[in-house]
Amino acid sequence: MVDTAPAEPQAPPVQRRPEQRTALSPGTRVRSAERPVSASVPEHVPAPAPVLVPPAEHPTATLIGSVQRAMHLLESVAAHEHGAPAKQLARETGLALPTAYHLLRTLVFEGYLRREKGLFFLGEAAERLGSSGARQKRRSTLVDALAHWRDTIGVPVYYAVYRDGEIEVMCVSDTPSNPAVEEWADFRETGHAHAVGQCLLSQLDEQDRRDHLDRHPVQAVTPYTVRDSHSLLRRLDRMRRMELVVERQEYALGTVCAAIPITIGSTAATLAISLPSQQADRLLVAAQQLQTEVGRLLGSLAISISI
């Protein structure tokens, strides 16, 4: 472990004058506000055509059959890893062959299918839909994990990655009673000052660290912030790989933080926690508890790194 610190309003109802009331034909459905009065209508007043109230629609009345058939074809194609011909797809979906051909050509044109040597496969558009759903599932897994750790340990939890040369805080899980640190200075530009940034920088090689600091120079954020890039680089060099990083009031006065490095493949990532400085004695215990919790869920977390 390295300790780095010294309803819109309704219109009024329209009142009909007595001479506007109309007689209704037998069998016409009537709204309660339009029921005829017992007085007879004078013969010289012509009765307007009745307004019929349409019956409630059947739940499937608005479904579009061609869309349903196209979706069935997509499902059938997806079931064949090595592709399938039109005749087989038509047979599996119960479609007439001309109808199947028409829908398949349309799906190919739109990129949802591709055709090779008479066989149909899922196209790039369909694959994009699938990858988007997978990303949402991975993010949901991560969000649930952070919320679990937040409630179990009683601290706000942060997840961040180093991507395309920048620090990105991907998810924060906190509560009103345990709020996250306010980002009063851009996290990307102040990576040298907070535990999240220092933890991510510690996972980079020297060239990438220097490149980052050239673009985001070290500057004082609080009286406790590291003073220059040379001092920061020496600190990072002393850190052992995958070592817990602790920072005390370097980014925000009155706050202490700890970050756990997570490296999977070539992606540098970190999970971090923060506490008010008056609870600094809890920081190491809470961080070690988070390390234990992460170890239990590392498999499900690993697939969430790329969100």
Side-chain angles (χ1 to χ4, degrees), residues 179-294:
V181 178
E182 180 183 356
E183 187 180 353
W184 71 277
D186 194 324
F187 260 45
R188 294 171 299 179
E189 297 179 1
T190 57
H192 61 280
H194 48 73
V196 165
Q198 293 177 25
C199 188
L200 293 173
L201 292 174
S202 73
Q203 299 175 60
L204 306 180
D205 59 33
E206 184 177 355
Q207 180 178 348
D208 288 339
R209 289 177 192 169
R210 292 185 179 276
D211 173 72
H212 181 91
L213 296 176
D214 286 343
R215 291 180 288 108
H216 304 296
V218 172
Q219 55 184 315
V221 181
T222 76
Y224 302 96
T225 307
V226 63
R227 293 306 177 189
D228 53 66
S229 59
H230 180 68
S231 299
L232 176 65
L233 288 170
R234 284 198 305 167
R235 178 191 295 179
L236 296 175
D237 285 337
R238 290 197 302 267
M239 292 182 185
R240 296 192 299 272
R241 181 173 175 79
M242 309 310 289
E243 184 175 17
L244 177 70
V245 177
V246 174
E247 165 262 305
R248 303 176 189 273
Q249 303 191 83
E250 292 189 54
Y251 175 78
L253 292 175
T255 302
V256 295
C257 302
I260 300 168
I262 302 172
T263 302
I264 298 178
S266 60
T267 302
T270 182
L271 285 163
I273 62 174
S274 64
L275 282 168
S277 55
Q278 59 267 32
Q279 299 181 36
D281 58 330
R282 289 186 55 209
L283 186 64
L284 293 181
V285 173
Q288 291 165 356
Q289 187 176 356
L290 178 60
Q291 282 183 309
T292 301
E293 292 285 337
V294 171

Side-chain angles (χ1 to χ4, degrees), residues 106-162:
T106 303
L107 291 168
V108 169
F109 179 81
E110 295 295 335
Y112 290 96
L113 294 179
R114 58 185 173 87
R115 184 178 184 182
E116 295 180 8
K117 299 179 180 180
L119 302 178
F120 291 89
F121 303 81
L122 291 180
E124 291 184 0
E127 291 169 354
R128 285 196 299 270
L129 289 176
S131 62
S132 177
R135 283 195 301 271
Q136 291 180 12
K137 183 176 181 179
R138 291 197 300 270
R139 181 170 180 83
S140 176
T141 299
L142 180 64
V143 169
D144 290 346
L146 263 62
H148 168 74
W149 297 328
R150 175 202 67 202
D151 296 338
T152 300
I153 307 172
V155 294
V157 184
Y158 311 75
Y159 171 68
V161 299
Y162 195 83

Side-chain angles (χ1 to χ4, degrees), residues 3 13 58 82-83 97 183 213 232 292 295 306:
D3 189 331
H58 189 275
H82 303 292
L97 187 57
E183 187 180 353
L213 296 176
L232 176 65
T292 301
S306 61

